[in-house]
Amino acid sequence: MRKGVFFMSYLRKRGNRWYFTIEIGEGGKRKRKELAGGRTKAEAEAARARAMVELEVNGTYVEPTKKTLDEFAAEFFADNNRSVHANTIKSYKSIYDHHIGPAIGSHRLRLIKPRTLQNLLNEKKDEGLSRSTVSSIHTVLKRMFVYASDFCEYIHRNPAQNIHVPKYTQPPRIVSAFSPRQVEEIFKRFPQGHQFFLPLAISYHTGARFGECCALTWQDVDFDLRELSISKTVIQTPDGLIVQDTPKTSSSFRCVPIGKTLISILRTEKARQAAARLAGIGFRDNYIVHDRHGRLMGGNAIRFFNMYCKKFGEGFSIHSMRHTHATMLLEAGEDLELVSKRLGHSSIDTTARTYSHVLEARKERSRHLLDNIL
């Protein structure tokens, strides 16, 4: 046994439960603890054995937590709010509140087994949730239980270590991209000068996410090289809008070549803002995109546009401009890797999965081409 650690243990039954008592420490600093071992003597002996092993390995014994998963979740979100992006923690909390907490939030943290968590994932799939949503639940469970076992040491083993997303066999979701006619209709409805025009135009010409468009400053535009530097994003929090210095993923940091049309649009807007400043009318910051009050634009401001998009069918929103940009490039024969980097995807596989329907159409055109030339 580790030097300096003194261990004695006693078993006794009290009521319908068995308890074991341990003495930990050395010399006059020994402390006696009586701990619940289980409903049977065998369970108590097993609990005692685990305590002995922990003492031998670590030189100390951590009493199992009595927290429920809900209680631990409150601690997890409060602690990680300081180190995880605000948008990410907001998404994690939404997943927990809607899918995890209602199902197993009242369970004791230390009593949750791998089968409990795997059953939860399987049940969510059976309820008809998409693979994306179930994957998000899987991610949150993994993050929470790593924190509980490795950081807080509330539990000895991580029950989420080997859980997996259930197998899905449905075809990949086809993203919604605007047709040329719809794009023309949108810019006719929201022309230059309208608060929605700039984020729509930037997303259409670059494939940038809406939050990335709103976070752009004039320093991010190189008019000579015709490039746009994307390194920030705007996110909505309960306390208002914030500009997050790090976008969605590390690959979201990127420099995007832009065409003459967007350069012309940006030159016009920069001149308009400069004239407004000289006249003492708003635009006191250096952002490119503003709402109709001259303030930083966020998700709430674009809700009207997303409602407007319902006329085109299900799934259309401001994000569809990004999909439209990517679809147009791929249909024109642009290299998949270059499109992936332009969009800021974490991997080329993400791009291939998202736009698989476009790639299949390209394969079909290749077959026709081969039939005609060979």
Side-chain angles (χ1 to χ4, degrees):
M1 182 165 289
R2 185 187 295 263
K3 185 178 179 180
V5 176
F6 180 79
F7 187 98
M8 292 186 66
S9 175
Y10 310 92
L11 286 173
R12 73 165 176 152
K13 188 177 182 181
R14 195 172 65 197
N16 61 351
R17 297 187 68 86
W18 280 84
Y19 293 80
F20 66 96
T21 303
I22 57 175
E23 288 187 4
I24 308 170
E26 52 185 321
K29 295 182 179 180
R30 284 183 292 172
K31 292 183 179 180
R32 178 173 294 183
K33 278 181 171 287
E34 184 175 69
L35 303 166
R39 294 189 178 278
T40 66
K41 186 177 181 180
E43 289 177 354
E45 288 175 339
R48 178 180 63 178
R50 288 193 296 269
M52 291 177 66
V53 170
E54 185 174 346
L55 274 167
E56 178 66 24
V57 173
N58 301 321
T60 185
Y61 175 74
V62 179
E63 187 174 351
T65 181
K66 296 179 180 179
K67 290 178 182 284
T68 64
L69 184 59
D70 277 343
E71 291 169 340
F72 168 70
E75 180 181 337
F76 170 80
F77 290 119
D79 289 352
N80 282 269
N81 196 41
R82 304 182 185 93
S83 57
V84 180
H85 292 159
N87 228 24
T88 302
I89 207 70
K90 179 182 176 182
S91 172
Y92 283 0
K93 192 171 188 314
S94 177
I95 287 292
Y96 183 87
D97 290 344
H98 287 90
H99 302 293
I100 301 173
I104 59 174
S106 61
H107 292 207
R108 295 282 187 187
L109 181 66
R110 62 186 174 86
L111 299 180
I112 294 176
K113 306 297 183 186
R115 173 47 59 190
T116 305
L117 303 181
Q118 189 61 57
N119 284 346
L120 174 62
L121 294 174
N122 295 343
E123 288 164 6
K124 291 300 176 181
K125 182 203 170 185
D126 294 341
E127 289 172 12
L129 270 62
S130 68
R131 190 185 195 285
S132 174
T133 301
V134 175
S135 293
S136 295
I137 297 171
H138 175 262
T139 298
V140 174
L141 288 173
K142 286 272 194 179
R143 289 291 296 267
M144 289 183 70
F145 280 96
V146 163
Y147 194 73
S149 60
D150 296 356
F151 185 81
C152 299
E153 296 184 339
Y154 287 148
I155 50 179
H156 299 291
R157 293 181 181 179
N158 179 359
Q161 183 173 354
N162 295 316
I163 61 173
H164 60 273
V165 177
K167 185 176 180 181
Y168 277 73
T169 56
Q170 76 261 32
R173 179 177 64 91
I174 297 178
V175 296
S176 300
F178 296 117
S179 69
R181 181 190 60 78
Q182 290 170 337
V183 171
E184 183 180 356
E185 183 179 339
I186 287 169
F187 283 115
K188 185 176 180 180
R189 173 64 180 80
F190 306 103
Q192 199 157 7
H194 193 284
Q195 65 170 341
F196 294 160
F197 174 77
L198 277 174
L200 288 170
I202 295 171
S203 185
Y204 177 66
H205 286 276
T206 67
R209 302 174 180 93
F210 172 68
E212 293 171 337
C213 294
C214 295
L216 291 170
T217 65
W218 291 112
Q219 283 88 352
D220 295 321
V221 185
D222 190 320
F223 286 99
D224 296 326
L225 294 178
R226 292 196 323 198
E227 289 181 342
L228 198 63
S229 177
I230 299 174
S231 60
K232 303 177 291 296
T233 189
V234 172
I235 61 174
Q236 190 89 41
T237 72
D239 299 323
L241 297 176
I242 64 171
V243 178
Q244 189 168 277
D245 292 333
T246 49
K248 190 172 182 180
T249 63
S250 59
S251 54
S252 294
F253 289 99
R254 60 201 188 277
C255 197
V256 179
I258 54 179
K260 293 179 180 179
T261 301
L262 183 57
I263 283 289
S264 176
I265 291 170
L266 293 174
R267 284 190 189 279
T268 300
E269 177 62 19
K270 189 173 185 181
R272 186 180 80 86
Q273 292 187 18
R277 285 192 188 91
L278 286 174
I281 308 172
F283 301 114
R284 296 178 181 177
D285 57 42
N286 204 36
Y287 293 110
I288 297 174
V289 175
H290 299 86
D291 65 15
R292 60 193 177 91
H293 301 294
R295 300 174 305 203
L296 185 67
M297 182 180 283
N300 288 339
I302 205 70
R303 284 180 179 175
F304 175 77
F305 177 79
N306 291 337
M307 291 173 61
Y308 166 83
C309 286
K310 290 183 178 180
K311 64 182 291 185
F312 300 122
E314 288 295 322
F316 285 95
S317 68
I318 179 67
H319 204 69
S320 298
M321 276 299 186
R322 173 175 165 86
H323 293 320
T324 302
H325 178 82
T327 300
M328 290 170 61
L329 286 179
L330 291 170
E331 287 181 342
E334 181 60 281
D335 181 73
L336 180 63
E337 184 177 2
L338 290 177
V339 173
S340 182
K341 289 180 178 179
R342 189 174 179 87
L343 295 176
H345 280 163
S346 57
S347 73
I348 193 172
D349 292 337
T350 301
T351 315
R353 286 196 306 270
T354 304
Y355 301 102
S356 59
H357 59 294
V358 181
L359 300 177
E360 285 300 320
R362 280 175 51 171
K363 287 181 183 178
E364 188 60 31
R365 287 198 297 273
S366 296
R367 294 186 188 98
H368 289 304
L369 180 61
L370 288 170
D371 289 340
N372 291 331
I373 66 176
L374 297 180

